[in-house]
Amino acid sequence: MYVGRFLVVGPDGGAYRVSSRSFPNREISAREDALTVGPTADAPETDNPYVAYNCVRVVETPTGETAAFGNGSHVDPIAEKLELGYPARDALATSLLALDYEKDDYDTPRIAATVGDAGEAFVGTVREDALLVERVEEPTLVATYEKDTPEAFEFDASDAETAAREAYDLEFEHAVCAAGVARSEAGDGFETAIVNDD
């Protein structure tokens, strides 16, 4: 099954995976303040505005660190609102509503999630027909196609590296790259990890 880009989020972390038929020549790279999806060196040139973006940001909030992740440029305003002290639910809802679904040939939904230091997690999506933001109590998946409503999903990763690898290896079609994020074992924030195309 092809579900496009997707994320899985639980109270302690999650993962984001790029799955793509149209733009498979992409990878995730680590920057100082974000994990960024972008074209590989051999990728054909494109003017598509949805190909490159920050997919994971970990930010300092008034209550501790919070991780934000998703499938597009909305990750940045979510992270910025979290830094300003917005509750996670509000940061997701206002940013997803402001940017709306992607105006491409498929009206692709935007998906995003947050995980806070206190184990509070939320998932959100904006589609052509709905804006949904929900608190997460168990691992939850949302994708751009086929599974565009958040649903419970079996996902057992306990650290960022395992989360990225498990997401990349899921049997959904056309895996390109994946990122994982998890609360560090020391309890002092979050760790991240990357898996690029084997």
Side-chain angles (χ1 to χ4, degrees):
M1 177 189 293
Y2 180 65
V3 299
R5 292 165 283 167
F6 68 85
L7 62 81
V8 182
V9 59
D12 295 314
Y16 169 68
R17 189 179 100 177
V18 177
S19 310
S20 181
R21 294 183 289 216
S22 305
F23 298 99
N25 299 323
R26 284 186 281 174
E27 61 188 2
I28 298 173
S29 57
R31 297 187 174 194
E32 186 176 327
D33 63 345
L35 299 184
T36 303
V37 175
T40 58
D42 59 351
E45 285 192 29
T46 178
D47 59 0
N48 186 309
Y50 305 118
V51 169
Y53 51 90
N54 291 330
C55 66
V56 177
R57 293 203 33 204
V58 177
V59 295
E60 194 66 42
T61 73
T63 58
E65 281 194 343
T66 298
F69 49 107
N71 73 321
S73 58
H74 53 284
V75 171
D76 289 326
I78 291 168
E80 289 157 11
K81 285 176 170 46
L82 291 167
E83 285 181 304
L84 290 171
Y86 279 60
R89 184 196 65 148
D90 297 357
L92 283 165
T94 56
S95 300
L96 289 170
L97 183 62
L99 282 144
D100 210 0
Y101 60 91
E102 295 179 358
K103 302 305 190 287
D104 59 9
D105 292 341
Y106 309 102
D107 293 333
T108 302
R110 291 182 187 267
I111 57 175
T114 62
V115 181
D117 256 350
E120 182 179 75
F122 287 87
V123 64
T125 182
V126 62
R127 312 184 307 237
E128 185 180 23
D129 65 339
L131 169 66
L132 304 171
V133 178
E134 301 176 2
R135 185 188 302 271
V136 169
E137 305 288 349
E138 60 184 337
T140 299
L141 177 139
V142 66
T144 55
Y145 310 120
E146 303 298 332
K147 295 178 175 289
D148 62 2
T149 298
E151 62 182 60
F153 190 79
E154 190 172 330
F155 196 77
D156 298 324
S158 58
D159 59 70
E161 189 172 337
T162 306
R165 173 51 65 185
E166 188 171 329
Y168 185 89
D169 290 341
L170 286 171
E171 292 186 1
F172 299 123
E173 296 172 357
H174 301 288
V176 174
C177 50
V181 60
R183 189 172 291 105
S184 67
E185 288 185 14
D188 56 354
F190 290 88
E191 57 180 19
T192 61
I194 296 167
V195 174
N196 284 314
D197 189 8
D198 294 334

